[in-house]
Amino acid sequence: MTGAPPRARERIYLSSPDVGSREEELVGEAIRSGWIAPLGPMVDEFERRMAERCGRRHAVALSSGTAALHLSLLNVGAAAGTVVVVPTMTFAATANAVAYTGAEPVFVDCDPVTGNLDAQLLDEALTSLQDEGTDVVAVMPVDLMGRCADYTRITPVCDEHGVPVISDAAESVGATHAGRPAGSFGLAAGVSFNGNKIMTTSGGGMVLTDDASFADRVRYLSTQARQPTLHYEHTEIGYNYRLSNVLAALGLAQLERLDGMISRRRALREQYVRIFADVDGVRVFQRDGDGADNCWLSAVLVDPRTAGWAVDDLRLALAEHDIESRPLWKPMHRQPVFAGARSFLNGAADQLFATGLALPSGSALAPAQCEQVMRVVEDFLGAGR
Ligand SMILES: Cc1ncc(COP(=O)(O)O)c(C=O)c1O
C-alpha cells in the first residue's frame, strides 16, 4: 500500500502561534538580506510600526516581555529597598521582573468582574505604604487576558501618590481603553510577543514610551550597557536583551495580520457566549464590555453550587479529547516563591482562580477544531447537567 499513514488527531491548545505564508515571506527576506546578526532594518521598521499602532513616540524591541518590564523598572529606580506594586492576579513574569531588580513586590487584589487591578484598593495600599515611609517606585497594572486595566481610574490614583505607572501590556496588544491603544498608558509599557500571545515573534517583547531618554536608556541597557567608545567600555551592568532582525520580520508579518487574528479570537468568544448562554451558574469571563478587548483568552467562571459541576469537571472532559484548558493565573500571594510578601486583598483573585477555566482561544484553530471543542463542551453540558 502507498500513501501517508493517517495522522493522529492533533492536540488542541489554548493559544498556538498563528503563522503562515506572509511570515515565511518576510523571514525569508530577512535571511536573504544578510541581516542575521542582531539588529537590522526590520527591527527598526517593527519598532516604528508598533509605536504607531500603540500611539507612542518610541519603541525598543527586546527578547521578551519580561525583559521589557525588567528594564522599565530599572529605569524608574527599582532596586533593593524600594517597592513596586503589582496585581496579585497575573502571570509570574510581572512579579519576577520586580524581583530581578532587588525591589520588593507588593500585591494588590483585583476587580471581580474584570480581574484587573482594583483602583480603590490600590489607593488604600499606596496610602498605607507611603504613610509608613516606604519608597514605592512604580505601580505595574496588568491588562489581564487582553482587557486593559482601568487606567481611567488607576492613573489619577498613581498621580496623586506621585508614583509612575509602568503598564504590563503583555497580553493586550491590539486592545483599547477609552479609545486609546493598549501600550499607550503610563510612563512606559511592556508588551510580549511570546509564542502563546496574540501576535508572536516566537519569543520577544517591546518597551513603548513617549519619553526619548527612557527609550535610549532601555536600548543602552539591553545591549550590554556599552559606552560610546571604539573599544568596549562599561560603567554599569548591562543585559543582552535585544530582538534579532529575523524575529522582527516575523513580528512585522504578525502586525499586518493582527486585526484579523483578533477577529477570529472574538468569533470564538462569541461561540462560547452562545453555548453557555442558558447554563445556570456559568458566565463567560470579561464578557461585559469586551468590545475593546483583544479576546486573547476566553474563559468561563463556574459557580459549582448553581451549575452542579465544577470547572475541573469540564477541564477533565476536554482533556479526554486531547483539548487543553487551564485554570486562570494562580494569584501571586498564593505562590510559594512569594510567600510572606505584603498583600492588600479582597478575595477576588482567589475566587477567580477557584472558579475560572481558560478555553481554547487561538486564532490558528481550524474550523473543524473549533467545532470539535464546541461539540465536546455541548456533550459535557448535555450529559445530565
Ligand atoms: C501578564 C504577563 N506579563 C509578562 C509576561 C512576560 O512575557 P514574556 O513571556 O514575553 O517574557 C507575560 C507572558 O508571558 C504575561 O502574561
Side-chain angles (χ1 to χ4, degrees), residues 4 83 101 123 153 201 215 219 237 259 279 326 337 344:
V83 155
T101 68
D123 194 11
R153 294 185 62 212
T201 57
R219 219 170 254 124
I237 298 296
D259 291 323
V279 184
R326 248 176 218 277
V337 71
F344 293 81

Side-chain angles (χ1 to χ4, degrees), residues 64-66 69 90-91 93-94 142 168 170-171 192-194 197 204 329:
S64 72
T66 312
L69 300 177
T90 186
F91 178 56
T94 316
V142 172
D168 181 346
E171 302 175 0
S192 167
F193 308 120
N194 190 352
K197 293 297 184 290
W329 303 130

